[in-house]
Amino acid sequence: MASMLFSNDQIMWETKCRQEDMQQRALENERRAIDDTRRAVDEKAQQLKSLSHQSALIAGFCMILLVEIQIPDDLHPALLISFGITTALVVSLMLISMLTSTFLLVSILRYDTVGRAIPFKRFWATRCESDWKFALKCFVFGVPLFCLVLAQIGWVKLWNYDETAWIWASSCISIIAILTIMVYLLHTDRKWRDWLLASDTNLVNREA
């Protein structure tokens, strides 16, 4: 009789320990899921902050340039129109990139990492990824246009200087800007654009 009671107590004790162990494992899994989600949110937030800051920097530079530059009265109309359109395009593209990144940043920071009504990966894929790609494309297209603005600065700023010095100085500035565009398009953009625009799912599949 005593052995039966001891056996029953032992079974109850083992059952209780097993239940507590399962509860502890479930709690650890939940904590791990929360930590993983927070890391994913932080990773995306850093990407969005980087894109937003760089876009704001370039947009601010072009905006100040457009406002502060002294345009000669006798500047050729074609050059004036080209300079104005290029500068406005850069500001517009970078502004769109900055605002989109900012809205995305606010959106993911509001994501509930504890409740997780939907997994963060699905939330990002369905609601954020298309806008992220759009913001990145605006930035990518704005960079060579920014270099074109640089290529035209010399021709606008030095218009009333000595003709020989004006031509040589402006040509040097334009050549440097064009070389920068070529390096950007043939190396940086060609190497990294597809990788940055690829979805997280495709990146995981490629690594596998």
Side-chain angles (χ1 to χ4, degrees), residues 2 7 10 13 25 28 46 49 51 66 74 83 89-90 95 102 116 131 133 142 157 159 174 186 195 199 201 205 208:
S7 178
Q10 186 176 7
W13 173 255
R25 289 185 180 181
E28 291 178 356
Q46 291 300 321
K49 286 179 182 178
L51 183 61
L66 187 61
D74 58 343
F83 178 75
L89 282 174
V90 173
L95 186 62
T102 302
R116 301 190 306 281
D131 287 336
K133 291 181 178 181
K157 185 67 177 178
W159 180 266
S174 297
L186 297 178
W195 170 264
S199 63
T201 303
N205 290 338

Side-chain angles (χ1 to χ4, degrees), residues 59 71 79 93 95 100-101 120-121 124-125 139 143 146 153 160 163 172 207:
I71 299 178
L79 180 57
L93 288 172
L95 186 62
T100 305
S101 300
F120 179 73
K121 287 185 178 179
W124 175 265
F139 181 83
V143 170
F146 176 72
I153 287 179
N160 290 327
E163 183 175 357
C172 290
E207 290 177 356

Side-chain angles (χ1 to χ4, degrees), residues 1 4 40 58 71 115 146 162 171-172 178-179 181 184 204:
M1 185 68 179
M4 290 180 62
I58 296 178
I71 299 178
F146 176 72
D162 178 73
S171 298
C172 290
I178 292 172
L179 290 176
I181 295 174
Y184 169 76
V204 172

Side-chain angles (χ1 to χ4, degrees), residues 74-175:
D74 58 343
L75 184 66
H76 195 282
L79 180 57
L80 178 61
I81 294 173
S82 175
F83 178 75
I85 291 176
T86 309
T87 307
L89 282 174
V90 173
V91 174
S92 300
L93 288 172
M94 293 303 171
L95 186 62
I96 292 173
S97 178
M98 179 192 67
L99 292 176
T100 305
S101 300
T102 302
F103 278 98
L104 285 173
L105 179 60
V106 175
S107 176
I108 66 171
L109 291 178
R110 292 185 61 189
Y111 178 82
D112 184 7
T113 57
V114 178
R116 301 190 306 281
I118 60 174
F120 179 73
K121 287 185 178 179
R122 190 192 306 170
F123 171 80
W124 175 265
T126 56
R127 301 199 60 180
C128 303
E129 190 167 15
S130 60
D131 287 336
W132 156 254
K133 291 181 178 181
F134 176 69
L136 189 58
K137 286 179 181 179
C138 288
F139 181 83
V140 168
F141 292 145
V143 170
L145 289 176
F146 176 72
C147 293
L148 287 179
V149 172
L150 176 62
Q152 298 174 80
I153 287 179
W155 302 99
V156 175
K157 185 67 177 178
L158 307 177
W159 180 266
N160 290 327
Y161 281 73
D162 178 73
E163 183 175 357
T164 303
W166 164 66
I167 293 176
W168 276 102
S170 301
S171 298
C172 290
I173 296 174
S174 297
I175 290 173

